[in-house]
Amino acid sequence: MSFEFGITSLIQGTPAVSTIAKVGGFMVMLPQNQVLPSWSFQMDDEELGYSHDGPTGLLERRLQVDCYGGGTLDASGETAATTVQLATAIAGVLDGYRGMLGDDTTRIQSCIRMSARDFFDDTGRNWRRMLEYRVRYSTVGA
């Protein structure tokens, strides 16, 4: 199992998220013609922890989660609102999370949100909210 599997299981396995996005947790990008709302994630960088004695077993990753809603914005603002609802549900899972992931090998020490940004893609007519986290973790047995 892996960090990626564990993060996907943690987020998509939460009823607050799965009620909004029936399917999500795609690596880097959504599949073509994916039904929205949905979400994807990617690792932007990873640092290995070291001390004067060598590796500490602690790793740090920057995790980017992209929440998508789509379609032409109607007068009610529904598509933008759905994107925000999904991002809020995912933030409710990740903000300050500590504990074991579903892969049973990854222990999250801290999950701190660094930023959130909104985007709109004219071509695809999609709303996107990006959440960015700094995640410190270790692998059990490391």
Side-chain angles (χ1 to χ4, degrees), residues 53-69:
D53 296 326
T56 64
L58 190 62
L59 298 103
E60 190 169 294
R61 283 186 172 183
R62 195 163 42 123
L63 170 67
Q64 177 180 319
V65 178
D66 292 304
C67 306
Y68 295 90

Side-chain angles (χ1 to χ4, degrees), residues 6-131:
I7 279 290
T8 302
S9 295
L10 173 69
I11 296 171
Q12 193 62 37
T14 302
V17 173
S18 62
T19 299
I20 299 166
K22 303 298 181 204
V23 179
F26 300 99
M27 189 171 236
V28 182
M29 63 188 344
L30 298 181
Q32 189 172 8
N33 301 319
Q34 174 61 38
V35 174
L36 300 178
S38 192
W39 63 280
S40 65
F41 71 97
Q42 66 185 25
M43 302 305 149
D44 291 330
D45 70 298
E46 179 179 75
E47 298 175 18
L48 304 175
Y50 286 95
S51 71
H52 291 291
D53 296 326
T56 64
L58 190 62
L59 298 103
E60 190 169 294
R61 283 186 172 183
R62 195 163 42 123
L63 170 67
Q64 177 180 319
V65 178
D66 292 304
C67 306
Y68 295 90
T72 305
L73 179 64
D74 60 18
S76 71
E78 171 123 2
T79 58
T82 303
T83 304
V84 171
Q85 289 170 348
L86 178 58
T88 300
I90 290 174
V93 174
L94 292 180
D95 287 3
Y97 182 81
R98 294 178 61 155
M100 291 297 289
L101 292 182
D103 66 358
D104 292 328
T105 63
T106 306
R107 181 181 309 279
I108 301 293
Q109 307 294 327
S110 65
C111 186
I112 308 298
R113 186 168 2 148
M114 297 168 40
S115 66
R117 288 183 218 124
D118 290 325
F119 300 90
F120 183 76
D121 173 34
D122 256 343
T123 305
R125 306 299 298 166
N126 292 325
W127 294 93
R128 174 171 62 106
R129 177 165 286 179
M130 181 194 78
L131 304 172

